[in-house]
Amino acid sequence: MLYPSADAWRAATAKRVLFFGMSGLGKTHIANMLRDSGEWFHYSVDYRIGTRYMGEHIVDNFKAHAMQDPFLAELLRTDSIYIASNITFDNLAPLSTYLGKPGDPDKGGLSFAEYQRRQALHHGAEVAALIDTAHFMDRANRLYGYDHFVCDSGGSICEVVDPENPDDPVLKQLAATHLMVWIEGSSDHTAELVRRFDKAPKPMCYAPEFLETSWTTYLTENNLSEREVDPDSFIRWTYARALAHRQPRYAAMAKNWGISVPAAALAETRSAADLDQLIVQALGNG
């Protein structure tokens, strides 16, 4: 571990931390807070995915939809209009919209094969974006003079690594260059995340095996064909399963590669000094 003790963290002149856990538990909030302090460089894995690795796919998807409108299609063919993605750290809708949802095409659903293809693209992009953290860490220091670096990882990080494999190439690099910190939610947090997702379901990235099993089970249990699946119903059902699927993977990442902090305690963090104290406590308990 990069900082093996509370004393090592306190003494560090360059603090480098990666937060992981389910979306909605505060990763981006704490990263924004650190960035706003003026002393930390904020690297967003999802933003990197959506701009560097998936940007062309996202824009092509916009154009494909625009081409269905004769008026817009003619303007595109003559280069009279320009379509771009306006993805930001706080608005990742272009990326999630590209991932889409499988099911009834009349309800905006994709074929399951196309959904799998887009999931695979995201998987590769996420691995690449995670590996890129070392480059951005160096860049942040060399170009901008930042000593401190925070990586805001996506909720699906646990789907693209093997936390039980001591030779996992992604985790080996990340653990060598960051303090890996799991934001651990409670059962109350889980219930709230499910409630939020049920109110506004959004596309997510899943491990291929988990997705295939979930899709087959959903079709069988509901006696549905692919085209009969309501896309929102499927991803609502899958989300609850994903929370249970990811929890032990996050826990293994924290046990084998880093530390954990309670989401409730992180929510009360108001400054870099507060975060220091929280991390010191977690390292002291390690």
Side-chain angles (χ1 to χ4, degrees), residues 17-19 27-28 31-32 35 41-53 87-92 95 125-126 129-130 132-133 136 149-155:
V17 60
L18 180 149
F19 290 106
K27 295 190 303 292
T28 301
N32 284 337
R35 181 189 64 204
F41 185 91
H42 175 190
Y43 177 75
S44 166
V45 169
D46 282 337
Y47 180 79
R48 179 69 169 166
I49 292 170
T51 53
R52 172 64 177 84
Y53 294 106
I87 194 169
T88 68
F89 280 20
D90 297 310
N91 180 14
L92 299 166
L95 177 57
E126 184 158 6
L130 288 166
D132 283 347
T133 58
F136 273 86
F149 183 93
V150 55
C151 177
D152 170 12
S153 73

Side-chain angles (χ1 to χ4, degrees), residues 151-166:
C151 177
D152 170 12
S153 73
S156 54
I157 183 175
C158 67
E159 307 281 15
V160 301
V161 298
D162 179 0
E164 299 290 358
N165 178 7

Side-chain angles (χ1 to χ4, degrees), residues 19 181-185 254 259-266 275 278-279 281-282:
F19 290 106
V181 180
W182 176 30
I183 303 175
E184 183 178 2
I259 61 173
S260 64
V261 297
L266 194 72
L275 178 64
L278 191 60
I279 288 177
Q281 291 174 358

Side-chain angles (χ1 to χ4, degrees), residues 22-265:
M22 283 300 299
S23 297
L25 290 182
K27 295 190 303 292
T28 301
H29 165 73
I30 196 71
N32 284 337
M33 183 202 73
L34 293 174
R35 181 189 64 204
D36 291 345
S37 74
E39 297 182 350
W40 289 72
F41 185 91
H42 175 190
Y43 177 75
S44 166
V45 169
D46 282 337
Y47 180 79
R48 179 69 169 166
I49 292 170
T51 53
R52 172 64 177 84
Y53 294 106
M54 299 286 284
E56 185 174 301
H57 298 295
I58 290 168
V59 172
D60 281 354
N61 189 46
F62 293 163
K63 290 178 179 178
H65 282 274
M67 287 296 291
Q68 297 174 26
D69 183 300
F71 175 73
L72 294 177
E74 182 60 27
L75 292 173
L76 279 172
R77 289 192 187 99
T78 58
D79 292 326
S80 300
I81 59 173
Y82 177 77
I83 295 178
S85 167
N86 192 29
I87 194 169
T88 68
F89 280 20
D90 297 310
N91 180 14
L92 299 166
L95 177 57
S96 63
T97 299
Y98 175 75
L99 283 176
K101 311 166 188 179
D104 185 350
D106 292 335
K107 295 181 179 179
L110 301 169
S111 71
F112 189 64
E114 174 61 14
Y115 184 63
Q116 288 177 302
R117 187 185 74 83
R118 297 188 186 193
Q119 289 275 318
L121 287 172
H122 189 284
H123 186 288
E126 184 158 6
V127 169
L130 288 166
I131 294 296
D132 283 347
T133 58
H135 165 68
F136 273 86
M137 192 178 293
D138 173 71
R139 188 167 177 258
N141 180 261
R142 177 169 42 83
L143 290 180
Y144 307 118
Y146 285 101
D147 292 320
H148 306 316
F149 183 93
V150 55
C151 177
D152 170 12
S153 73
S156 54
I157 183 175
C158 67
E159 307 281 15
V160 301
V161 298
D162 179 0
E164 299 290 358
N165 178 7
D167 292 318
D168 184 273
V170 177
L171 287 175
K172 281 186 76 171
Q173 176 172 308
L174 294 177
T177 52
H178 304 75
L179 177 64
M180 304 275 290
V181 180
W182 176 30
I183 303 175
E184 183 178 2
S186 65
S187 57
D188 288 340
H189 286 115
T190 299
E192 175 59 17
L193 291 176
V194 171
R195 186 195 68 78
R196 284 189 215 163
F197 192 89
D198 191 62
K199 184 177 180 180
K202 64 179 183 179
M204 288 177 57
C205 186
Y206 303 107
E209 300 81 5
F210 171 82
L211 178 60
E212 290 173 15
T213 299
S214 296
W215 180 250
T216 301
T217 302
Y218 187 82
L219 294 181
T220 301
E221 288 185 354
N222 294 280
N223 194 28
L224 296 171
S225 69
E226 179 174 310
R227 293 179 65 89
E228 292 174 323
V229 171
D230 180 274
D232 281 345
S233 295
F234 172 71
I235 64 168
R236 283 190 178 101
W237 179 85
T238 307
Y239 181 75
R241 290 168 59 91
L243 292 181
H245 164 75
R246 289 181 175 181
Q247 191 76 1
R249 298 183 67 84
Y250 290 139
M253 287 174 65
K255 177 183 177 182
N256 298 330
W257 300 93
I259 61 173
S260 64
V261 297

